[in-house]
């Protein structure tokens, strides 16, 4: 792969973290690299900072590889944005009994919405996932969700082929986002819309 853009692109979001940390030297080193998982490039990662003038951060990871392959750009941006040191380590605790909540029993939760912002190892993230990967993830979810029991059970509704009135109601109720957000479009998240997407 050889980038069609040889010089560091002009970054319209001049006050973004991309503008602060992406140097010509880093660009020259990384511009021709494609990630193994989804073929994501640095050019795609910084598209929003290049095309829009209102970005604070200005970069999207296309897959897990993006964080390591483009670490020279991602690491300082992540460190500044989150206020962490270069030697900070992420810890994960998936033990449900360790979750401490502050739900007021006099004001119980009747509904909640979960937005999945990450993905499955070996598949691209929203900005870089391929069409086939997205369809594969949808099929994995459809299969898994059929095994949900009791209060976790429900129905999966693919967006492909969905009746327009149903789709609009889901948008109006804030369960689906509307197409046309420039960050989603430029960042690559609206590619192949609506295939491989749905609501559970």
């Amino acid at each position: 792969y050889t980038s069609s853009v040889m010089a560091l692109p002009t970054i319209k979001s001049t006050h973004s973290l991309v503008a602060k940390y992406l140097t010509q030297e880093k660009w020259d080193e990384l511009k021709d690299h494609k990630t193994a998982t989804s073929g994501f490039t640095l050019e795609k990662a910084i598209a929003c900072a290049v095309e829009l003038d209102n970005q604070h951060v200005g970069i999207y990871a296309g897959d897990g590889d993006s964080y390591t392959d483009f670490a020279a750009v991602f690491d300082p941006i992540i460190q500044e944005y989150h206020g962490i040191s270069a030697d900070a380590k992420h810890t994960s605790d998936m033990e449900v009994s360790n979750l401490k909540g502050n739900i007021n029993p006099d004001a119980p939760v009747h509904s909640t919405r979960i937005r999945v912002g990450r993905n499955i190892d070996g598949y691209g993230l929203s900005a870089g996932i391929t069409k086939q990967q997205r369809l594969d993830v949808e099929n994995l979810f459809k299969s898994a969700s059929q095994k949900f029991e009791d209060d976790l059970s429900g129905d999966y509704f693919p967006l492909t082929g969905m009746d327009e009135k149903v789709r609009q109601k889901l948008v109006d109720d804030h369960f689906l986002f509307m197409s046309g957000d420039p960050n989603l479009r430029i960042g690559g998240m609206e590619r192949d819309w609506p295939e491989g997407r749905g609501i559970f």
Side-chain angles (χ1 to χ4, degrees):
Y1 169 77
T2 302
S3 173
S4 60
V5 179
M6 297 312 291
L8 176 65
T10 300
I11 297 171
K12 290 182 181 176
S13 290
T14 57
H15 299 291
S16 68
L17 295 178
V18 166
K20 182 175 183 178
Y21 290 109
L22 179 57
T23 63
Q24 182 69 54
E25 181 181 5
K26 290 178 185 178
W27 174 258
D28 289 343
E29 176 188 340
L30 300 169
K31 67 179 170 46
D32 294 330
H33 181 76
K34 275 187 165 185
T35 62
T37 298
S38 62
F40 205 67
T41 65
L42 185 57
E43 184 177 359
K44 291 176 184 176
I46 65 167
C48 284
V50 170
E51 294 190 37
L52 301 172
D53 63 4
N54 62 352
Q55 303 295 291
H56 171 67
V57 178
I59 194 166
Y60 286 104
D63 47 37
D65 302 336
S66 298
Y67 294 108
T68 52
D69 295 4
F70 306 125
V73 180
F74 272 97
D75 284 357
I77 289 173
I78 292 168
Q79 290 158 16
E80 180 168 330
Y81 183 79
H82 291 288
I84 59 174
S85 64
D87 61 351
K89 298 289 182 214
H90 175 75
T91 57
S92 181
D93 183 354
M94 300 299 284
E95 176 53 51
V96 71
S97 64
N98 291 337
L99 293 174
K100 307 297 180 216
N102 60 356
I103 297 175
N104 180 343
D106 297 326
V109 175
H110 293 286
S111 175
T112 188
R113 179 174 65 176
I114 299 171
R115 179 189 163 273
V116 179
R118 292 295 178 258
N119 214 322
I120 303 166
D121 189 33
Y123 293 89
L125 299 170
S126 295
I129 193 167
T130 67
K131 181 178 179 180
Q132 187 58 54
Q133 288 174 343
R134 187 179 286 111
L135 294 171
D136 291 347
V137 169
E138 180 184 37
N139 286 328
L140 284 171
F141 180 79
K142 285 193 283 192
S143 175
S145 66
Q146 290 173 356
K147 297 174 179 81
F148 294 170
E149 297 178 351
D150 303 323
D151 62 341
L152 297 178
S153 66
D155 296 307
Y156 175 77
F157 300 97
L159 296 189
T160 303
M162 181 177 280
D163 180 85
E164 179 56 26
K165 289 179 183 177
V166 172
R167 189 201 66 78
Q168 188 58 53
K169 172 113 174 77
L170 291 169
V171 169
D172 294 344
D173 291 343
H174 303 285
F175 288 113
L176 291 179
F177 68 83
M178 291 180 8
S179 181
D181 180 302
N183 286 294
L184 297 177
R185 182 181 48 77
I186 294 167
M189 276 76 83
E190 287 194 5
R191 284 173 295 107
D192 307 313
W193 185 266
E195 288 189 78
R197 296 165 173 93
I199 186 166
F200 177 78

